[in-house]
């Protein structure tokens, strides 16, 4: 555009007016500008705009697995929000691999995205992501990154787990287990810590029973079966995400266990299981919206220290705790 | 690039050699070319490559709603397949609106994607999509487009519905209803037609009871309740997709109906409902893979008439039909 203006000996504003069919340009000036545009093969398409600005108008998203409903809701809400600002979202799956994530970061940066939203595959920032953050805004979602100063959007892990424990205790459960996802996942660690803190604070009896994955085939069933034995056996279990909830539900069917389950993450059909499953709803759509809004705030020139947004959770009580109170078993 | 060549009074090949640091260019010519490149702000990044080739290395995908697990599985498999060919997938949701779809097509074309995969929002090809198809390969998934000559990947709707009807009949159901999604959706119409054909072919008694949506609040429950009345009442119902299956399951809970449900589309937890739900599994991942493979075949130069791929379905029997055979009610 500057080149066209120089050649036509007019201001950039004038070129812009011609391109956008705005008034205020004399006909012969407009013709001249158009001829030069024609000559230079300048088209008003995104490619040209990208070269001018050195940026495309897309945002890159890296999650673990787009096929997982939690991530697809996150991506769908981000896509909607980005679109309302005329940006496309390029969504990719790192499949839990830090190496794959680094490759994707590099490829998206080469692709000139305007910014990156990442659900980190590991707790330490890779070289790729640190170098990306020097060129463009990066927002972490669901998990923070050590070694990277970046805006971060998290679920209220402490509040969510505490609401689950308090709900069960209010319904007279005293022995409650906790099963988390893979131990390398930050939220699994964090929710386990929140569980232990609540257990302590409420003065629940005995050693708290917790485990993080990964789990071998049949391991969840065996574990729950063991934890449920005897007078001191657990009567309820809290999970750290929907993947573990599914494993617990499957384990219960296989072994005929009779435990109350409270799942972190809500899921479709939680209402229709027998008994219905109470869930900590953490609203992936809100996390996605907040992340992309924060990204656009930086693109719009927001300065200052990185922000951490904590999105509240909501306990959706489906009556599962009331159905089989601990008192019946004690 | 042509502009640089013109200004430097050299061939385009020479400019290309300079840009790519290839031998065979005299030092002073190279300096001159570099100076002009500098002046024009031409950088050897994707934007430049995009302008040169008029193409980026991404594929556009337009579905109804990325938040729906069926579509997110489709998108996830396509992203994986595209990535293995070094392409990004730009996934977007048209939210069932043909106008929104046309906007997205235009925006993706302006964004210079190499090809488009579309789950069409209406049965007639828009001007936008027809004009896109002149510039790049377009593949339709799940639904064909009238007025567009394009490769198409479909589920085996006839085979899928027939397997559901035959399964129920084999378990002594004689009166079976059919509930489809919104009547504007091609697969809803097609699966209804397949249902009627199977009903006829198997010589089932009475008028077949079928309906397509959209449904008002409580309408599905009222309808099933009416269809289930009397000696000739239905004992089973087949749905046209997972959205309707969820409505039927909810309606059954609300009204205490006792019908066997066979759902088109498999869904997570179908195993864990009581009774478990038999489903026609149509494998969105296979549809997505086939679509993107077909798209790349065209990009690789495949000529010839458009192809229609039909992906087989598989009936996943979960014992729901056996639990409450029609004979008990007759």
């Amino acid at each position: 555009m500057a080149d066209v203006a120089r050649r036509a000996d007019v201001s950039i504003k004038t070129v812009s007016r011609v391109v956008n069919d705005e008034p205020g340009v004399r006909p012969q000036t407009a013709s001249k500008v158009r001829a030069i545009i024609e000559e230079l093969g300048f088209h008003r398409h995104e490619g040209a705009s990208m070269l001018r600005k050195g940026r495309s108008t897309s945002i890159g998203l890296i999650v673990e697995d787009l096929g997982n409903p939690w991530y697809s809701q996150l991506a769908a809400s981000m896509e909607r929000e980005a679109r309302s600002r005329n940006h496309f979202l390029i969504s990719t799956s790192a499949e839990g691999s830090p190496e794959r994530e680094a490759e994707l970061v590099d490829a998206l940066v080469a692709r000139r995205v305007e910014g990156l939203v990442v659900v980190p595959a590991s707790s330490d920032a890779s070289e790729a992501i640190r170098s990306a953050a020097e060129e463009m805004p990066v927002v972490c979602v669901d998990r923070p990154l050590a070694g990277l100063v970046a805006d971060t959007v998290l679920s209220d892990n402490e509040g969510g787990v505490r609401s689950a424990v308090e709900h069960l205790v209010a319904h007279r459960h005293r022995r409650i287990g906790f099963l988390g996802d893979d131990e390398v996942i930050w939220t699994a660690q964090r929710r386990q810590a929140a569980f232990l803190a609540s257990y302590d604070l409420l003065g629940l009896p005995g050693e708290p029973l917790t485990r993080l994955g990964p789990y071998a085939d049949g391991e969840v069933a065996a574990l729950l079966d063991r934890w449920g034995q005897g007078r001191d056996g657990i009567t309820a279990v809290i999970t750290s995400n929907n993947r573990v909830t599914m494993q617990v539900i499957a384990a219960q069917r296989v072994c005929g266990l009779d435990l109350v389950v409270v799942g972190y993450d809500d899921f479709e059909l939680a209402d229709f299981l027998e008994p219905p499953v109470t869930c900590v709803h953490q609203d992936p759509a809100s996390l996605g919206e907040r992340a992309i809004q924060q990204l656009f705030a930086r693109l719009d020139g927001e300065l200052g220290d990185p922000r951490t947004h904590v999105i509240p959770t909501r306990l959706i009580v489906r009556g599962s705790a009331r159905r089989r109170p601990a008192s019946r078993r004690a």
Side-chain angles (χ1 to χ4, degrees), chain A residues 115-132:
Chain A
L116 274 179
V117 179
V118 182
V119 177
S122 76
S123 27
D124 293 306
S126 62
E127 180 53 42
I129 215 161
R130 276 183 283 135
S131 117

Side-chain angles (χ1 to χ4, degrees), chain A residues 64 68 70-71 95-97 119-123 141-144 157 178 180-193 212-215 240-244 247 265 282:
Chain A
E64 191 175 327
N68 178 317
W70 195 87
Y71 291 114
E95 288 159 17
S97 151
V119 177
S122 76
S123 27
V141 177
D142 195 45
R143 310 162 191 173
N157 296 297
F178 174 90
D181 203 349
D182 198 318
E183 61 187 358
V184 303
I185 298 178
W186 184 83
T187 49
Q189 300 162 9
R190 193 69 168 213
R191 290 168 196 166
Q192 183 186 44
L212 298 183
Y215 303 101
S240 83
N241 70 12
N242 58 12
R243 248 188 312 239
V244 182
Q247 289 186 66
D265 288 350
Q282 61 163 328

Side-chain angles (χ1 to χ4, degrees), chain A residues 172-175 228 230-235 324-330:
Chain A
R172 308 178 58 192
H173 292 271
R174 288 294 172 273
R175 292 289 288 160
R231 273 205 91 232
D232 288 343
I234 62 167
T235 57
R324 291 167 298 170
S327 56
R328 266 212 240 150
R329 297 182 50 132

Side-chain angles (χ1 to χ4, degrees), chain A residues 13-14 20 47 60 66 84 89 93 112 122 132 134 140 146 151 165 173 188-189 193 226 233 235 269 289 301 310:
Chain A
K13 182 70 206 155
T14 301
N20 295 305
L66 287 169
S84 75
L89 186 71
S93 304
R112 312 305 276 180
S122 76
E134 284 169 19
C140 295
D151 297 314
V165 178
H173 292 271
Q189 300 162 9
R226 183 146 49 80
T235 57
L269 291 175
E289 275 160 30
V310 176

Side-chain angles (χ1 to χ4, degrees), chain A residues 83-99:
Chain A
R83 223 204 288 141
S84 75
R85 308 255 322 213
N86 269 322
H87 282 63
F88 278 117
L89 186 71
I90 303 183
S91 308
T92 61
S93 304
E95 288 159 17
S97 151
E99 294 73 33

